[in-house]
Amino acid sequence: MRISDKWKDYELIDCSEGERLERWGRVVLIRPDPQVIWKTEKKNPLWKKADARYFRSSTGGGKWEIYKKIPDRWTIDYGSLTFNIKTMGFKHTGLFPEQAANWDFVADIIKRQNRKVKVLNLFGYTGAATVSALKAGGEVTHVDASKGMVLWAKENSLSSQTDKMPVRWLVDDCIKFVRREIRRENHYDIIIMDPPSYGRGPGGEIWKLEDEVFNLCSLCTELLTDESLLFALNSYTTGLSPAVMQYILGAVVIPKFGGSVSADELGLPVTETGLCLPCGSTALWQK
């Protein structure tokens, strides 16, 4: 497991009975997590003193229950990066803190190069990976189907002081964008792909990860060259194991460009127990 353990503004305090107890800066939240199937004793007093809690509805969706006044939006830092956080629909806050391990990994690769590094961030969400790559010196193309998420990513870039760095912000369907880039004969040194389990494109296109991921990874190989450095595939879909993602990248990238593929779970340390909560997976092709 690759563990994101360098956080100071975020803390996974405890987790039990399908919920996480988390500190986001000074704000303490309780959020549901389907991976938390154990029923350990909730000893930490913050379980009863949280600022807000997200409750899922039996009919789908859910809502936040606010116990104390919290900002509509606040910021947390990760090293030199600053992210804007808010309580939003379906339990989210606009950031996946376990991905910090990937931000650091990609940033280190970019910093080691003595040349321009072109990065493509597909399904870029609120731009954490984009901002980290920019800060490391990369040139980034950020693509997401949601205009609101791209605007949020721009705000994170401004907060992290990377807004003047070389970046393209695009509201687009990722599959259609990749096909156009292939026709334009554009290429990238690093591809980061963090697709949702299910979603819709700007034109109402339905995306289901298990049905689309192999074909999209195959398409993306057309954007790589012999000088490319990395293809990172992330997943939060429980049915898509690290080994499955490793096989996909191994099948579509290695025959063309060689290199190797590794895969592992991502995790966050739990303060109360000293254990680690699994929070998704990443497969990495490297030259």
Side-chain angles (χ1 to χ4, degrees):
M1 181 180 289
R2 298 169 59 227
I3 301 169
S4 296
D5 57 2
K6 297 179 182 178
W7 280 100
K8 294 182 180 179
D9 278 4
Y10 171 84
E11 179 186 10
L12 178 51
I13 302 166
D14 197 10
C15 51
S16 181
E17 297 185 79
E19 293 181 310
R20 297 186 189 188
L21 175 67
E22 303 169 297
R23 178 180 60 82
W24 296 80
R26 296 182 180 180
V27 178
V28 176
L29 302 177
I30 298 174
R31 298 191 298 152
D33 189 321
Q35 298 251 63
V36 182
I37 62 173
W38 45 89
K39 297 181 180 180
T40 50
E41 186 179 355
K42 295 180 176 180
K43 297 179 181 179
N44 195 295
L46 289 175
W47 279 109
K48 297 180 180 179
K49 298 179 181 179
D51 298 301
R53 188 177 203 159
Y54 187 89
F55 287 96
R56 279 208 173 119
S57 169
S58 59
T59 57
K63 66 176 182 177
W64 286 96
E65 190 167 298
I66 308 299
Y67 303 128
K68 303 174 186 176
K69 184 174 176 58
I70 60 175
D72 292 334
R73 180 173 297 207
W74 67 100
T75 61
I76 65 171
D77 294 335
Y78 181 75
S80 61
L81 308 177
T82 299
F83 302 114
N84 296 275
I85 303 299
K86 67 178 180 179
T87 53
M88 54 190 294
F90 197 66
K91 80 176 183 178
H92 294 305
T93 63
L95 191 70
F96 295 97
E98 63 276 4
Q99 286 291 333
N102 284 335
W103 308 336
D104 292 341
F105 186 82
V106 173
D108 184 61
I109 291 176
I110 294 171
K111 291 174 182 176
R112 292 203 309 263
Q113 308 309 310
N114 294 316
R115 61 180 176 90
K116 176 178 69 176
V117 177
K118 292 179 63 180
V119 180
L120 174 61
N121 186 12
L122 295 171
F123 309 95
Y125 194 50
T126 60
T130 293
V131 170
S132 178
L134 288 170
K135 186 73 78 168
E139 297 186 5
V140 185
T141 298
H142 174 108
V143 187
D144 196 279
S146 168
K147 183 178 180 180
M149 292 300 105
V150 174
L151 289 174
W152 195 338
K154 289 181 179 181
E155 292 172 2
N156 284 334
S157 183
L158 180 63
S159 297
S160 296
Q161 298 181 338
T162 61
D163 53 304
K164 304 299 182 185
M165 296 177 179
V167 58
R168 291 194 296 163
W169 304 105
L170 301 174
V171 179
D172 205 346
D173 176 86
C174 288
I175 296 176
K176 292 179 179 178
F177 172 78
V178 169
R179 286 175 175 155
R180 287 198 300 274
E181 288 291 87
I182 293 170
R183 292 195 295 269
R184 289 187 285 244
E185 298 184 353
N186 285 334
H187 298 95
Y188 294 88
D189 301 297
I190 294 175
I191 297 176
I192 302 167
M193 195 161 75
D194 199 351
S197 299
Y198 180 87
R200 290 184 180 273
E205 304 89 348
I206 295 176
W207 163 273
K208 188 176 180 182
L209 182 59
E210 294 94 328
D211 295 339
E212 303 288 353
V213 64
F214 179 82
N215 290 336
L216 181 53
C217 287
S218 298
L219 277 176
C220 285
T221 63
E222 301 297 321
L223 302 179
L224 299 172
T225 70
D226 288 331
E227 285 72 46
S228 294
L229 303 166
L230 177 72
F231 190 152
L233 172 62
N234 296 307
S235 172
Y236 289 91
T237 302
T238 54
L240 203 62
S241 70
V244 169
M245 295 196 299
Q246 182 175 2
Y247 196 101
I248 290 172
L249 288 189
V252 300
V253 186
I254 289 179
K256 291 185 176 181
F257 301 106
S260 61
V261 179
S262 61
D264 210 340
E265 289 183 299
L266 297 177
L268 288 168
V270 183
T271 303
E272 191 72 19
T273 63
L275 302 173
C276 288
L277 176 68
C279 304
S281 306
T282 300
L284 303 166
W285 169 81
Q286 292 180 267
K287 186 65 175 179

